Amino acid sequence: MLGWMCPDGTQWRQGSPDGLDARRYGVWVQDAQDAGSRREESGRNTTVSDAGHFFADVVKAIYGLRQSPRAWYQKINTFFNNYDFYRSSQDYSLYINYDKRILVLVYVDDPVLAAAEKEDIGWIKACLTREFEMTDLGELETFLGLQIKRDRDSRVLTLGQHKYIDRILLRHGMQNARPAMTPLDPHIRLPAHTKRDNLLSEPEGVSLELYQSAVGSLMYAMLGTRPDLAYAVGLVSQFNHSPKREYWIAVKRIFRYLVRTKTFVLQYGTSNDSGGYSDADWGSGYDRKSVGGLLFLLNGGAISWASKKQTSIALSTTEAEYMGMTQAAKEILWLRVLLEEIGAFKHIAPMSTLNADNQGAIALTRNPEYHARTKHIDIQYHFIRDLVTSEKLDLHFCPSGEMIADIMTKSLSRPTHDKHTQAMGLTDQE
């Protein structure tokens, strides 16, 4: 018979914790020997119930408890504070030591180290080893499913996910599928949902679990290194709750596109192209909401991208573009602070350029003359006017044919799709 209790010792229960959240409570012990060993290790008393069952309270965070992630973060944060690391205000998993010029990015218990000198890498490794049990995996080659390669001679960095893509193709039986040239067919429009569709759990023989698993697998690839998938994945994910046969065909086409492009990688350092791009496709959603897209380049490669349906219906193309530019302006402010914290502006110009392909929207940010036509726009979207007035943001007109963010808002023909894919730093490394 197992016993268990609250960590503060205020409550004891015996028997199985079925129906209760045992993760909030203490360690279970089965016999007196186990209880005694725990008492000796912790220096705290175990308790014996009237029925003779033993239990012990928790004195350290362990895996499985609700507070374990918080306890671990507090410990690692204290460690870096003790060694004069500054925690980024924009990303709490990034720590910076300005004296030694060291960057540490922490994902749970996997730190990635970067420094200007190898001696400083050795110093932080030694500090970590003294405090934690560590395994040194050497120079970074893989991280969270990403393959990282550095060409020091040409100063080019590449990020790819071909191993992960091979796995998801195999998992969904698409490894031998006929390759597709684009993620979506630009000549086919997916049907809208109806109220009847919402009542069907698995309509037309489409497995809900399989559909959601496939979309989730594609989304991880898109978030890692494949901005060319952003619009397609965003579109099919809108139907996760009730997929139709047409939606499943669209998902399989994305997999078929990956069969052709699984060796594509993002490259940085091939050019000095930097800046942001914002675009919107007015009223393209089945609910008549517009789709906005943004993309930011640094040293020739994409570092931030998004394709998202706007929350309100725009009354004109200008209005849709204006709202999309505001979302991009918020992203560029975040990126600028982050890049400044890691010292990037010692080597590159501060990121302040945003490209848009709608002259009316650009004029709207600089001149409030159109008040009668725009007073219905939510006040949050006028945030961009202050940025332009204070010269924190520099808006440039970009011809529609050169608008890279166009790939984030609609399905394109192959020539246009390939052109924008190459412009965002994606290249075939086969």
Side-chain angles (χ1 to χ4, degrees):
M1 189 72 173
L2 299 178
W4 54 291
M5 72 177 299
C6 300
D8 59 5
T10 58
Q11 183 179 9
W12 175 83
R13 297 177 185 270
Q14 66 178 13
S16 171
D18 292 343
L20 299 171
D21 191 355
R23 290 177 297 178
R24 295 176 56 192
Y25 297 90
V27 178
W28 307 2
V29 293
Q30 295 190 5
D31 51 41
Q33 183 178 359
D34 189 10
S37 64
R38 291 180 185 274
R39 179 174 61 250
E40 293 174 2
E41 292 175 1
S42 65
R44 298 177 64 178
N45 292 329
T46 55
T47 308
V48 184
S49 70
D50 294 338
H53 304 307
F54 294 86
F55 54 92
D57 57 343
V58 176
V59 295
K60 294 176 65 177
I62 60 175
Y63 283 106
L65 299 183
R66 284 187 174 181
Q67 292 298 313
S68 296
R70 177 178 174 83
W72 163 246
Y73 181 77
Q74 289 175 337
K75 183 176 182 64
I76 196 71
N77 184 62
T78 301
F79 167 82
F80 285 118
N81 286 338
N82 292 339
Y83 284 94
D84 298 325
F85 278 81
Y86 164 79
R87 184 177 67 180
S88 169
S89 62
Q90 305 303 303
D91 187 342
Y92 277 15
S93 62
L94 176 63
Y95 291 87
I96 308 163
N97 186 307
Y98 289 106
D99 294 334
K100 294 182 175 293
R101 295 190 294 172
I102 300 175
L103 303 178
V104 181
L105 184 64
V106 180
Y107 179 79
V108 190
D109 56 354
D110 294 328
V112 176
L113 314 177
E117 304 292 339
K118 288 186 176 181
E119 291 77 8
D120 295 326
I121 290 284
W123 173 77
I124 187 59
K125 283 182 179 179
C127 295
L128 287 165
T129 303
R130 286 195 297 268
E131 185 72 19
F132 310 102
E133 293 184 10
M134 273 189 55
T135 301
D136 187 355
L137 300 179
E139 187 169 342
L140 186 65
E141 295 181 352
T142 61
F143 187 66
L144 301 180
L146 276 66
Q147 286 81 53
I148 300 103
K149 293 183 180 180
R150 298 179 63 190
D151 187 338
R152 297 180 183 274
D153 294 333
S154 58
R155 300 182 65 83
V156 172
L157 174 71
T158 62
L159 302 179
Q161 287 178 286
H162 67 272
K163 292 182 179 179
Y164 171 76
I165 293 174
D166 281 334
R167 288 201 304 270
I168 64 175
L169 288 173
L170 181 62
R171 184 189 311 157
H172 294 93
M174 299 293 293
Q175 69 276 18
N176 297 319
R178 177 170 55 88
M181 298 299 104
T182 58
L184 293 174
D185 189 336
H187 305 294
I188 296 179
R189 180 180 176 88
L190 295 180
H193 258 292
T194 64
K195 292 183 179 179
R196 176 181 174 275
D197 295 328
N198 295 331
L199 301 176
L200 301 177
S201 58
E202 291 190 3
E204 304 179 12
V206 179
S207 168
L208 187 65
E209 181 179 356
L210 177 61
Y211 186 89
Q212 293 177 348
S213 172
V215 172
S217 299
L218 293 169
M219 187 170 293
Y220 189 77
M222 179 271 292
L223 293 172
T225 61
R226 299 303 299 269
D228 55 329
L229 302 179
Y231 173 72
V233 174
L235 181 63
V236 298
S237 65
Q238 297 178 37
F239 312 111
N240 270 338
H241 61 292
S242 182
K244 288 183 177 182
R245 179 174 175 273
E246 293 89 340
Y247 308 151
W248 178 239
I249 293 174
V251 169
K252 290 196 293 184
R253 182 183 174 94
I254 303 175
F255 278 116
R256 290 170 48 214
Y257 173 71
L258 286 178
V259 172
R260 182 178 77 89
T261 63
K262 61 184 178 181
T263 55
F264 277 23
V265 296
L266 276 175
Q267 282 193 336
Y268 303 92
T270 55
S271 73
N272 294 324
D273 292 343
S274 300
Y277 294 82
S278 173
D279 195 21
D281 190 18
W282 177 46
S284 60
Y286 65 88
D287 54 1
R288 308 310 297 166
K289 291 181 180 178
S290 306
V291 176
L294 58 90
L295 179 80
F296 289 89
L297 301 178
L298 184 65
N299 287 343
I303 59 171
S304 179
W305 56 85
S307 174
K308 185 179 180 182
K309 184 189 293 186
Q310 295 179 353
T311 57
S312 60
I313 296 177
L315 301 182
S316 65
T317 302
T318 295
E319 185 176 324
E321 296 274 1
Y322 183 74
M323 293 191 292
M325 288 161 51
T326 300
Q327 300 303 319
K330 293 191 291 185
E331 184 73 8
I332 203 171
L333 287 182
W334 177 80
L335 284 172
R336 187 158 63 187
V337 175
L338 180 64
L339 292 171
E340 184 178 11
E341 287 183 337
I342 64 176
F345 295 152
K346 296 178 181 178
H347 312 283
I348 61 174
M351 184 174 291
S352 60
T353 302
L354 180 62
N355 296 279
D357 63 355
N358 188 284
Q359 294 279 23
I362 295 175
L364 197 58
T365 65
R366 296 171 176 165
N367 193 338
E369 286 183 356
Y370 297 96
H371 175 71
R373 301 180 186 177
T374 60
K375 60 183 179 182
H376 63 281
I377 299 177
D378 195 324
I379 193 171
Q380 65 168 318
Y381 296 112
H382 295 304
F383 165 72
I384 192 172
R385 286 181 176 174
D386 287 337
L387 298 181
V388 173
T389 301
S390 60
E391 298 183 351
K392 294 181 180 178
L393 185 65
D394 186 16
L395 285 175
H396 286 184
F397 174 75
C398 175
S400 296
E402 306 298 324
M403 174 48 65
I404 306 175
D406 196 31
I407 200 174
M408 302 288 169
T409 64
K410 61 176 73 71
S411 55
L412 304 172
S413 62
R414 183 184 178 183
T416 306
H417 177 87
D418 289 348
K419 174 184 177 181
H420 293 328
T421 297
Q422 185 177 6
M424 64 176 67
L426 278 171
T427 184
D428 193 349
Q429 284 288 297
E430 189 175 9

